[in-house]
Amino acid sequence: MDAGPGGRERVLALRGELDYASAAQLQEAADAVLAGPQPPALVVLDCSALEFCDSSGINVLIGMHQRLEARGGVLRLAGVPGSVTRVFTLTGLDQVIGRYGTVADASAPAAGDHGSSAVRAASERQR
């Protein structure tokens, strides 16, 4: 779904488990969204139907964040369930990518974002 000024926002919905078997699908979707000379300024991942995320999924999320940030864009997570929030907190991902209660909250222009130094720290933890 495209929304926002100039169609520069994308919302992707994640469902089920984001693990080794499904991380490649998210990577393919990210590649499609981020390809081209004008990637979106904001990508919101709707995690409200996400049940599980392992290190494979976290690596894809960090990669998406880094690619967007390098091009002046932002990645945000919306509606992250408690069990997945715990994984994001334990891995430090919550210090890297902003989490919001709803897609609408994540899409708000005034929402704050995290800096790139935290990305490097979380990336190192994943290796």
Side-chain angles (χ1 to χ4, degrees):
M1 169 191 348
D2 282 332
R8 300 273 336 263
E9 176 183 320
R10 293 284 304 219
V11 177
L12 302 174
L14 303 180
R15 292 179 182 17
E17 297 184 354
L18 181 53
D19 56 13
Y20 181 78
S22 61
Q25 293 173 328
L26 177 57
Q27 185 64 58
E28 288 174 15
D31 290 344
V33 167
L34 302 177
Q38 286 279 330
L42 173 63
V43 174
V44 176
L45 297 179
D46 179 355
C47 300
S48 58
L50 187 62
E51 298 169 1
F52 174 80
C53 182
D54 72 5
S55 61
S56 301
I58 290 170
N59 284 331
V60 174
L61 296 176
I62 290 171
M64 287 178 70
H65 171 78
Q66 290 173 329
R67 287 176 64 189
L68 273 163
E69 185 177 63
R71 296 178 114 187
V74 176
L75 177 66
R76 296 178 181 161
L77 306 173
V80 181
S83 60
V84 178
T85 294
R86 185 170 190 277
V87 171
F88 289 173
T89 300
L90 288 171
T91 61
L93 189 70
D94 64 332
Q95 300 298 311
V96 177
I97 303 171
R99 287 184 300 123
Y100 301 84
T102 66
V103 170
D105 292 341
S107 298
D113 298 301
H114 300 284
S116 61
S117 62
V119 173
R120 285 189 293 278
S123 296
E124 292 302 317
R125 281 195 295 268
Q126 291 303 309
R127 291 186 183 155

